[in-house]
Amino acid sequence: MKFYILPGPFRLGFGITGDHERREKDYTGAWGGIAEFRYLFEGPTPHVKRLENIIKTQNRDMLWKVDEWETEWLDNNWTSEDLLEFVKTIISERHLPIKQIR
Amino acid sequence: MLPEYQEVVRKPNVMKNRNPLQQSKAKVVPLADRIADLQNYKQWQKLIAEYKRQGIILDPKLRPLIKMIKLKFIFIDEDIQRALDAKHCTKIAGIESFDPRYLQVIYCTKVPGKEEYHANDAQHTATLVAALIDAGVFLNESDWREVEMPVLYIETTNKAFARKAFALINGKGKKKISLWYEHRTKVLSVRIDKSTDPDDEEAERKQTICEKYHCYPVDTESVFTGLPGTFTHMQALNMDDDILEMACKFHNDYFHYDEINGALWFMMDDLYKAFSAAHIKITDKFLAELAGILQGYFAGIAQFHESVKGAHLRWGIYTYGYKVSWQDDAIAALLVLMYQKLGGTQQIPQPLLDRFAKILDFVDDDIKDLFVEKELELA
């Protein structure tokens, strides 16, 4: 399972996928421009899912909300590097067997 | 080989100073503060703007009135109200618990032009008060017909309105008190009001056990949900003190950096009961080994819980040929089966191993891959 960080046209995105190439194409098709994951991590499914969940929980107030819908886009000018740093800290602090592959 | 638990840096738990149940002094705010809260809420602002846009003006006379009414003027519409629950009345009037100060106002619709009040709610209150008076329980009162009770009423001949009002009072459209608020009432009754009611004392005792290990029950709608040590699964407080303490300690020792997942309670309850029945001691070493599995293979209890649910679903379909309902005892069972598979040496009560014997075959492939890797390492 992979975790990705995606600089979007409006906000910074993140998510998990089993097939990152397919997912990049989905984004490209949806927003009409080439989408490329800036950073990519890989690890066992439970750990990658947990990583995503931690990001959502700890930054709940910064997730872009459309009415009541909590999206996987970060508001408040998060940069790819900000999230990269956050992810690396979580991986290190919690000893998650997740490796950066891009 | 069992994965070894790796220490995670402990950070100060922010809930320690923000715990809404820690107060020992009452806090009173004026109604104006609450009005300001509501007026700051965007949806409220939108609603009021819509009232103004539509030019809606309400007649103040439509608000209910309150009056002391003799009980002989109270009537019950049997097609609106439920039948009298004599058992419920008897329970309310129980000698240990009944206090006249808890009596509620009677909600009625008044027939215009007549002294006739039809109870939409609190028929049980009216009935049991009248019956207690009739029994001579109230000082210097003997004729219930002449005794007055406070009645909140509106005047109408519209029975449909009364029907709706009854549904409203009994739940529909009313914000129900959550289990957390019920717990809060009991805890603060002891901490602020020094209540000695056994129910209140029990709730406070459980709360103290939780706080000792930096675990904090919070309301599902609270801003604190998701913070380390918080939990919303209030049924946890129904567990025996010893089990609650073991669960909270386990969380604080190994997963203090996470919110508490509901699986913790089921897991600890089942382990404690199974080990106790088999007269096997749960050692600290064993708990540390379990924590190692949960951390090493699942990054904590939340993902373990999700994995067990997936495995249980597939196991059920394989075993019975259809989707079986979720069984929370699969949580502890799968954990100890993994423990044995990974070479754990602690004696495990056999019933824990038998219940879901084949479930390990249905865990996610990622996890199974880890087993295979470990088995190859051992080989």
Side-chain angles (χ1 to χ4, degrees), chain B residues 281-333:
Chain B
K281 184 175 163 34
I282 296 178
T283 64
D284 289 344
K285 176 176 173 284
F286 175 56
L287 291 174
E289 288 170 334
L290 295 183
I293 297 173
L294 293 165
Q295 182 195 52
Y297 282 3
F298 300 98
I301 297 174
Q303 283 310 131
F304 174 66
H305 195 179
E306 198 181 305
S307 291
V308 180
K309 281 189 169 173
H312 177 267
L313 181 73
R314 293 184 286 273
W315 167 85
I317 291 169
Y318 174 83
T319 309
Y320 301 106
Y322 57 89
K323 283 184 188 175
V324 294
S325 301
W326 165 241
Q327 294 155 295
D328 52 50
D329 44 349
I331 298 168

Short mmCIF file of all heavy atoms in Angstrom, two decimals, chain B residues 281-333:
data_model
loop_
_atom_site.label_atom_id
_atom_site.label_comp_id
_atom_site.label_asym_id
_atom_site.label_seq_id
_atom_site.Cartn_x
_atom_site.Cartn_y
_atom_site.Cartn_z
N LYS B 281 -2.62 -16.46 35.17
CA LYS B 281 -2.30 -15.05 35.47
C LYS B 281 -1.92 -14.33 34.17
O LYS B 281 -1.18 -14.86 33.34
CB LYS B 281 -1.13 -15.02 36.47
CG LYS B 281 -0.76 -13.63 36.94
CD LYS B 281 0.34 -13.75 38.00
CE LYS B 281 1.10 -12.50 38.30
NZ LYS B 281 0.47 -11.24 38.25
N ILE B 282 -2.41 -13.12 34.04
CA ILE B 282 -1.99 -12.29 32.90
C ILE B 282 -0.75 -11.51 33.35
O ILE B 282 -0.84 -10.67 34.25
CB ILE B 282 -3.11 -11.32 32.47
CG1 ILE B 282 -4.33 -12.11 31.97
CG2 ILE B 282 -2.62 -10.37 31.39
CD1 ILE B 282 -5.50 -11.25 31.56
N THR B 283 0.36 -11.83 32.76
CA THR B 283 1.62 -11.20 33.21
C THR B 283 1.90 -9.93 32.40
O THR B 283 1.40 -9.75 31.29
CB THR B 283 2.79 -12.17 33.03
OG1 THR B 283 2.93 -12.43 31.62
CG2 THR B 283 2.57 -13.47 33.77
N ASP B 284 2.75 -9.07 32.98
CA ASP B 284 3.17 -7.86 32.27
C ASP B 284 3.92 -8.22 30.99
O ASP B 284 3.81 -7.53 29.98
CB ASP B 284 4.08 -7.01 33.17
CG ASP B 284 3.29 -6.37 34.31
OD1 ASP B 284 2.04 -6.33 34.21
OD2 ASP B 284 3.91 -5.92 35.29
N LYS B 285 4.69 -9.31 31.06
CA LYS B 285 5.47 -9.74 29.88
C LYS B 285 4.51 -10.09 28.73
O LYS B 285 4.72 -9.68 27.58
CB LYS B 285 6.31 -10.97 30.26
CG LYS B 285 7.10 -11.58 29.11
CD LYS B 285 7.98 -12.73 29.62
CE LYS B 285 8.65 -13.49 28.48
NZ LYS B 285 7.76 -14.39 27.78
N PHE B 286 3.45 -10.82 29.08
CA PHE B 286 2.47 -11.20 28.05
C PHE B 286 1.82 -9.97 27.43
O PHE B 286 1.69 -9.85 26.21
CB PHE B 286 1.42 -12.11 28.71
CG PHE B 286 0.27 -12.49 27.80
CD1 PHE B 286 0.49 -13.11 26.58
CD2 PHE B 286 -1.05 -12.23 28.19
CE1 PHE B 286 -0.57 -13.47 25.75
CE2 PHE B 286 -2.12 -12.58 27.37
CZ PHE B 286 -1.87 -13.20 26.15
N LEU B 287 1.44 -9.01 28.28
CA LEU B 287 0.80 -7.79 27.77
C LEU B 287 1.76 -7.01 26.87
O LEU B 287 1.36 -6.46 25.84
CB LEU B 287 0.30 -6.92 28.93
CG LEU B 287 -0.88 -7.50 29.72
CD1 LEU B 287 -1.19 -6.63 30.94
CD2 LEU B 287 -2.13 -7.64 28.85
N ALA B 288 3.04 -7.00 27.26
CA ALA B 288 4.04 -6.30 26.43
C ALA B 288 4.18 -6.99 25.08
O ALA B 288 4.36 -6.34 24.04
CB ALA B 288 5.38 -6.26 27.15
N GLU B 289 4.08 -8.31 25.09
CA GLU B 289 4.19 -9.05 23.83
C GLU B 289 2.98 -8.78 22.93
O GLU B 289 3.13 -8.61 21.71
CB GLU B 289 4.32 -10.55 24.13
CG GLU B 289 5.67 -10.92 24.71
CD GLU B 289 5.76 -12.34 25.24
OE1 GLU B 289 4.70 -12.93 25.63
OE2 GLU B 289 6.86 -12.89 25.29
N LEU B 290 1.82 -8.71 23.55
CA LEU B 290 0.62 -8.38 22.76
C LEU B 290 0.75 -6.97 22.17
O LEU B 290 0.40 -6.73 21.01
CB LEU B 290 -0.65 -8.46 23.63
CG LEU B 290 -1.04 -9.84 24.18
CD1 LEU B 290 -2.35 -9.74 24.95
CD2 LEU B 290 -1.16 -10.87 23.05
N ALA B 291 1.26 -6.04 22.99
CA ALA B 291 1.44 -4.67 22.50
C ALA B 291 2.41 -4.65 21.33
O ALA B 291 2.23 -3.88 20.37
CB ALA B 291 1.96 -3.78 23.63
N GLY B 292 3.42 -5.51 21.39
CA GLY B 292 4.39 -5.60 20.29
C GLY B 292 3.72 -6.03 18.99
O GLY B 292 4.01 -5.48 17.92
N ILE B 293 2.81 -6.99 19.08
CA ILE B 293 2.09 -7.44 17.88
C ILE B 293 1.22 -6.30 17.35
O ILE B 293 1.22 -6.00 16.15
CB ILE B 293 1.19 -8.67 18.20
CG1 ILE B 293 2.05 -9.85 18.63
CG2 ILE B 293 0.33 -9.03 17.00
CD1 ILE B 293 1.25 -11.05 19.13
N LEU B 294 0.49 -5.67 18.26
CA LEU B 294 -0.44 -4.61 17.84
C LEU B 294 0.33 -3.44 17.21
O LEU B 294 -0.11 -2.87 16.20
CB LEU B 294 -1.25 -4.11 19.05
CG LEU B 294 -2.24 -5.13 19.63
CD1 LEU B 294 -2.71 -4.69 21.01
CD2 LEU B 294 -3.43 -5.31 18.69
N GLN B 295 1.45 -3.11 17.79
CA GLN B 295 2.23 -2.00 17.24
C GLN B 295 2.97 -2.42 15.97
O GLN B 295 2.93 -1.73 14.95
CB GLN B 295 3.26 -1.53 18.29
CG GLN B 295 4.08 -0.35 17.81
CD GLN B 295 5.31 -0.14 18.69
OE1 GLN B 295 6.10 -1.06 18.93
NE2 GLN B 295 5.48 1.07 19.18
N GLY B 296 3.64 -3.57 16.03
CA GLY B 296 4.51 -3.98 14.93
C GLY B 296 3.75 -4.38 13.67
O GLY B 296 4.19 -4.08 12.56
N TYR B 297 2.62 -5.02 13.84
CA TYR B 297 1.88 -5.50 12.67
C TYR B 297 0.71 -4.60 12.27
O TYR B 297 0.24 -4.66 11.14
CB TYR B 297 1.33 -6.91 12.94
CG TYR B 297 2.36 -8.01 12.81
CD1 TYR B 297 3.70 -7.70 12.52
CD2 TYR B 297 2.02 -9.34 12.94
CE1 TYR B 297 4.64 -8.70 12.40
CE2 TYR B 297 2.96 -10.34 12.81
CZ TYR B 297 4.28 -10.00 12.55
OH TYR B 297 5.21 -11.00 12.43
N PHE B 298 0.24 -3.79 13.21
CA PHE B 298 -0.99 -3.03 12.90
C PHE B 298 -0.89 -1.55 13.21
O PHE B 298 -1.89 -0.83 13.06
CB PHE B 298 -2.17 -3.63 13.69
CG PHE B 298 -2.42 -5.07 13.36
CD1 PHE B 298 -1.92 -6.08 14.16
CD2 PHE B 298 -3.13 -5.42 12.22
CE1 PHE B 298 -2.14 -7.41 13.86
CE2 PHE B 298 -3.36 -6.76 11.91
CZ PHE B 298 -2.86 -7.76 12.73
N ALA B 299 0.22 -1.08 13.67
CA ALA B 299 0.41 0.34 14.00
C ALA B 299 -0.59 0.79 15.08
O ALA B 299 -0.94 1.96 15.15
CB ALA B 299 0.26 1.21 12.77
N GLY B 300 -1.05 -0.15 15.89
CA GLY B 300 -1.96 0.22 16.98
C GLY B 300 -3.25 -0.55 16.93
O GLY B 300 -3.47 -1.40 16.06
N ILE B 301 -4.13 -0.25 17.88
CA ILE B 301 -5.35 -1.05 18.04
C ILE B 301 -6.40 -0.72 16.97
O ILE B 301 -7.15 -1.59 16.54
CB ILE B 301 -5.92 -0.84 19.47
CG1 ILE B 301 -4.90 -1.38 20.49
CG2 ILE B 301 -7.25 -1.56 19.65
CD1 ILE B 301 -5.25 -1.11 21.93
N ALA B 302 -6.43 0.52 16.51
CA ALA B 302 -7.47 0.91 15.54
C ALA B 302 -7.37 0.07 14.26
O ALA B 302 -8.38 -0.46 13.77
CB ALA B 302 -7.36 2.39 15.22
N GLN B 303 -6.15 -0.05 13.73
CA GLN B 303 -6.00 -0.82 12.48
C GLN B 303 -6.14 -2.31 12.74
O GLN B 303 -6.61 -3.04 11.88
CB GLN B 303 -4.65 -0.51 11.83
CG GLN B 303 -4.62 0.82 11.11
CD GLN B 303 -5.77 1.04 10.17
OE1 GLN B 303 -6.41 2.08 10.21
NE2 GLN B 303 -6.09 0.08 9.32
N PHE B 304 -5.76 -2.73 13.94
CA PHE B 304 -5.97 -4.14 14.29
C PHE B 304 -7.47 -4.45 14.27
O PHE B 304 -7.91 -5.45 13.71
CB PHE B 304 -5.38 -4.43 15.68
CG PHE B 304 -5.68 -5.82 16.18
CD1 PHE B 304 -5.16 -6.92 15.54
CD2 PHE B 304 -6.52 -6.02 17.28
CE1 PHE B 304 -5.46 -8.22 15.98
CE2 PHE B 304 -6.82 -7.29 17.72
CZ PHE B 304 -6.29 -8.40 17.08
N HIS B 305 -8.23 -3.55 14.86
CA HIS B 305 -9.69 -3.69 14.90
C HIS B 305 -10.24 -3.83 13.48
O HIS B 305 -11.06 -4.72 13.19
CB HIS B 305 -10.27 -2.43 15.57
CG HIS B 305 -11.70 -2.57 16.00
ND1 HIS B 305 -12.38 -1.57 16.63
CD2 HIS B 305 -12.60 -3.59 15.88
CE1 HIS B 305 -13.61 -1.96 16.87
NE2 HIS B 305 -13.76 -3.20 16.43
N GLU B 306 -9.76 -2.96 12.59
CA GLU B 306 -10.25 -3.01 11.20
C GLU B 306 -9.87 -4.33 10.54
O GLU B 306 -10.67 -4.94 9.83
CB GLU B 306 -9.65 -1.83 10.42
CG GLU B 306 -10.42 -1.54 9.14
CD GLU B 306 -9.80 -0.39 8.35
OE1 GLU B 306 -9.63 0.70 8.94
OE2 GLU B 306 -9.51 -0.59 7.16
N SER B 307 -8.65 -4.79 10.80
CA SER B 307 -8.19 -6.05 10.21
C SER B 307 -9.01 -7.23 10.73
O SER B 307 -9.34 -8.14 9.97
CB SER B 307 -6.72 -6.28 10.53
OG SER B 307 -5.93 -5.36 9.84
N VAL B 308 -9.33 -7.20 12.03
CA VAL B 308 -10.12 -8.31 12.60
C VAL B 308 -11.51 -8.33 11.95
O VAL B 308 -12.03 -9.39 11.62
CB VAL B 308 -10.27 -8.19 14.14
CG1 VAL B 308 -11.10 -9.34 14.70
CG2 VAL B 308 -8.92 -8.17 14.82
N LYS B 309 -12.07 -7.14 11.76
CA LYS B 309 -13.41 -7.10 11.15
C LYS B 309 -13.39 -7.70 9.74
O LYS B 309 -14.30 -8.45 9.37
CB LYS B 309 -13.91 -5.65 11.10
CG LYS B 309 -14.45 -5.19 12.44
CD LYS B 309 -15.12 -3.85 12.32
CE LYS B 309 -15.87 -3.54 13.62
NZ LYS B 309 -16.42 -2.21 13.65
N GLY B 310 -12.35 -7.36 8.98
CA GLY B 310 -12.22 -7.92 7.62
C GLY B 310 -12.05 -9.42 7.67
O GLY B 310 -12.71 -10.16 6.92
N ALA B 311 -11.18 -9.89 8.57
CA ALA B 311 -10.92 -11.33 8.68
C ALA B 311 -12.18 -12.07 9.14
O ALA B 311 -12.52 -13.13 8.63
CB ALA B 311 -9.78 -11.58 9.67
N HIS B 312 -12.91 -11.45 10.07
CA HIS B 312 -14.13 -12.08 10.59
C HIS B 312 -15.18 -12.21 9.50
O HIS B 312 -15.87 -13.23 9.39
CB HIS B 312 -14.67 -11.25 11.76
CG HIS B 312 -15.96 -11.77 12.31
ND1 HIS B 312 -17.19 -11.32 11.88
CD2 HIS B 312 -16.21 -12.74 13.24
CE1 HIS B 312 -18.14 -11.99 12.53
NE2 HIS B 312 -17.57 -12.84 13.36
N LEU B 313 -15.28 -11.19 8.67
CA LEU B 313 -16.25 -11.23 7.57
C LEU B 313 -15.95 -12.39 6.62
O LEU B 313 -16.83 -13.19 6.29
CB LEU B 313 -16.21 -9.89 6.81
CG LEU B 313 -17.18 -9.74 5.65
CD1 LEU B 313 -18.61 -9.56 6.16
CD2 LEU B 313 -16.80 -8.54 4.79
N ARG B 314 -14.68 -12.48 6.22
CA ARG B 314 -14.28 -13.55 5.29
C ARG B 314 -14.38 -14.92 5.96
O ARG B 314 -14.82 -15.89 5.33
CB ARG B 314 -12.85 -13.29 4.79
CG ARG B 314 -12.74 -12.05 3.90
CD ARG B 314 -11.34 -11.87 3.34
NE ARG B 314 -10.38 -11.41 4.33
CZ ARG B 314 -10.16 -10.13 4.64
NH1 ARG B 314 -10.84 -9.18 4.03
NH2 ARG B 314 -9.26 -9.80 5.54
N TRP B 315 -14.01 -14.99 7.22
CA TRP B 315 -14.11 -16.25 7.97
C TRP B 315 -15.57 -16.71 8.04
O TRP B 315 -15.89 -17.88 7.85
CB TRP B 315 -13.54 -16.03 9.38
CG TRP B 315 -13.85 -17.13 10.36
CD1 TRP B 315 -13.16 -18.28 10.55
CD2 TRP B 315 -14.95 -17.16 11.29
NE1 TRP B 315 -13.74 -19.03 11.54
CE2 TRP B 315 -14.85 -18.37 12.01
CE3 TRP B 315 -16.00 -16.29 11.58
CZ2 TRP B 315 -15.76 -18.73 13.00
CZ3 TRP B 315 -16.91 -16.66 12.57
CH2 TRP B 315 -16.77 -17.86 13.26
N GLY B 316 -16.47 -15.77 8.30
CA GLY B 316 -17.90 -16.10 8.42
C GLY B 316 -18.45 -16.65 7.12
O GLY B 316 -19.17 -17.66 7.11
N ILE B 317 -18.10 -16.00 6.02
CA ILE B 317 -18.60 -16.45 4.72
C ILE B 317 -18.06 -17.84 4.40
O ILE B 317 -18.78 -18.72 3.94
CB ILE B 317 -18.21 -15.43 3.61
CG1 ILE B 317 -19.00 -14.14 3.82
CG2 ILE B 317 -18.46 -16.00 2.22
CD1 ILE B 317 -18.54 -12.97 2.98
N TYR B 318 -16.77 -18.04 4.72
CA TYR B 318 -16.15 -19.35 4.45
C TYR B 318 -16.78 -20.44 5.34
O TYR B 318 -17.11 -21.52 4.88
CB TYR B 318 -14.65 -19.27 4.71
CG TYR B 318 -13.94 -20.59 4.60
CD1 TYR B 318 -13.55 -21.11 3.37
CD2 TYR B 318 -13.68 -21.36 5.74
CE1 TYR B 318 -12.91 -22.33 3.27
CE2 TYR B 318 -13.05 -22.59 5.66
CZ TYR B 318 -12.66 -23.07 4.42
OH TYR B 318 -12.04 -24.29 4.33
N THR B 319 -16.98 -20.10 6.60
CA THR B 319 -17.45 -21.11 7.57
C THR B 319 -18.93 -21.44 7.42
O THR B 319 -19.33 -22.60 7.49
CB THR B 319 -17.18 -20.63 9.01
OG1 THR B 319 -15.81 -20.23 9.10
CG2 THR B 319 -17.44 -21.72 10.04
N TYR B 320 -19.75 -20.38 7.21
CA TYR B 320 -21.20 -20.60 7.21
C TYR B 320 -21.85 -20.38 5.85
O TYR B 320 -23.03 -20.65 5.68
CB TYR B 320 -21.86 -19.66 8.25
CG TYR B 320 -21.32 -19.89 9.64
CD1 TYR B 320 -20.44 -18.98 10.22
CD2 TYR B 320 -21.66 -21.03 10.35
CE1 TYR B 320 -19.93 -19.19 11.50
CE2 TYR B 320 -21.15 -21.24 11.63
CZ TYR B 320 -20.29 -20.32 12.20
OH TYR B 320 -19.78 -20.54 13.45
N GLY B 321 -21.09 -19.84 4.91
CA GLY B 321 -21.63 -19.65 3.56
C GLY B 321 -22.39 -18.35 3.39
O GLY B 321 -23.00 -18.11 2.35
N TYR B 322 -22.41 -17.50 4.40
CA TYR B 322 -23.08 -16.19 4.28
C TYR B 322 -22.45 -15.22 5.29
O TYR B 322 -21.66 -15.64 6.15
CB TYR B 322 -24.58 -16.33 4.55
CG TYR B 322 -24.92 -16.92 5.90
CD1 TYR B 322 -25.08 -16.11 7.02
CD2 TYR B 322 -25.08 -18.29 6.05
CE1 TYR B 322 -25.38 -16.66 8.26
CE2 TYR B 322 -25.38 -18.85 7.29
CZ TYR B 322 -25.53 -18.02 8.39
OH TYR B 322 -25.81 -18.56 9.62
N LYS B 323 -22.80 -13.93 5.14
CA LYS B 323 -22.22 -12.92 6.03
C LYS B 323 -22.82 -13.05 7.43
O LYS B 323 -24.03 -12.92 7.59
CB LYS B 323 -22.55 -11.51 5.51
CG LYS B 323 -21.71 -11.08 4.34
CD LYS B 323 -22.05 -9.64 3.96
CE LYS B 323 -21.37 -9.26 2.68
NZ LYS B 323 -21.76 -7.91 2.22
N VAL B 324 -21.98 -13.33 8.40
CA VAL B 324 -22.49 -13.42 9.78
C VAL B 324 -22.30 -12.08 10.48
O VAL B 324 -21.46 -11.27 10.08
CB VAL B 324 -21.78 -14.53 10.60
CG1 VAL B 324 -22.09 -15.89 10.04
CG2 VAL B 324 -20.28 -14.31 10.64
N SER B 325 -23.12 -11.83 11.48
CA SER B 325 -23.02 -10.56 12.21
C SER B 325 -21.67 -10.48 12.93
O SER B 325 -21.11 -11.51 13.33
CB SER B 325 -24.13 -10.46 13.26
OG SER B 325 -25.37 -10.55 12.63
N TRP B 326 -21.22 -9.28 13.10
CA TRP B 326 -19.94 -9.02 13.78
C TRP B 326 -19.98 -9.57 15.21
O TRP B 326 -20.97 -9.41 15.92
CB TRP B 326 -19.68 -7.52 13.78
CG TRP B 326 -18.62 -7.08 14.74
CD1 TRP B 326 -18.77 -6.21 15.78
CD2 TRP B 326 -17.22 -7.45 14.72
NE1 TRP B 326 -17.56 -6.04 16.41
CE2 TRP B 326 -16.60 -6.78 15.80
CE3 TRP B 326 -16.45 -8.28 13.92
CZ2 TRP B 326 -15.23 -6.91 16.08
CZ3 TRP B 326 -15.09 -8.42 14.21
CH2 TRP B 326 -14.50 -7.73 15.27
N GLN B 327 -18.90 -10.25 15.59
CA GLN B 327 -18.79 -10.79 16.96
C GLN B 327 -17.53 -10.19 17.57
O GLN B 327 -16.41 -10.48 17.12
CB GLN B 327 -18.68 -12.32 16.90
CG GLN B 327 -19.95 -12.99 16.38
CD GLN B 327 -19.66 -14.35 15.76
OE1 GLN B 327 -18.98 -14.45 14.75
NE2 GLN B 327 -20.19 -15.38 16.38
N ASP B 328 -17.72 -9.36 18.60
CA ASP B 328 -16.56 -8.64 19.13
C ASP B 328 -15.56 -9.54 19.87
O ASP B 328 -14.42 -9.14 20.10
CB ASP B 328 -17.00 -7.46 20.01
CG ASP B 328 -17.99 -7.86 21.07
OD1 ASP B 328 -17.72 -8.84 21.77
OD2 ASP B 328 -19.04 -7.19 21.20
N ASP B 329 -15.98 -10.78 20.19
CA ASP B 329 -15.01 -11.66 20.85
C ASP B 329 -13.95 -12.17 19.87
O ASP B 329 -12.98 -12.82 20.28
CB ASP B 329 -15.69 -12.82 21.60
CG ASP B 329 -16.79 -13.48 20.81
OD1 ASP B 329 -17.19 -12.93 19.78
OD2 ASP B 329 -17.26 -14.55 21.24
N ALA B 330 -14.14 -11.86 18.58
CA ALA B 330 -13.11 -12.23 17.59
C ALA B 330 -11.83 -11.41 17.81
O ALA B 330 -10.74 -11.82 17.41
CB ALA B 330 -13.64 -12.00 16.18
N ILE B 331 -11.95 -10.25 18.46
CA ILE B 331 -10.79 -9.36 18.63
C ILE B 331 -9.72 -10.04 19.49
O ILE B 331 -8.56 -10.18 19.06
CB ILE B 331 -11.24 -8.02 19.28
CG1 ILE B 331 -12.24 -7.31 18.36
CG2 ILE B 331 -10.04 -7.12 19.54
CD1 ILE B 331 -12.95 -6.14 19.02
N ALA B 332 -10.11 -10.46 20.70
CA ALA B 332 -9.14 -11.12 21.58
C ALA B 332 -8.70 -12.44 20.98
O ALA B 332 -7.51 -12.82 21.06
CB ALA B 332 -9.75 -11.34 22.96
N ALA B 333 -9.65 -13.15 20.36
CA ALA B 333 -9.33 -14.47 19.81
C ALA B 333 -8.25 -14.38 18.73
O ALA B 333 -7.27 -15.14 18.75
CB ALA B 333 -10.59 -15.10 19.23
#
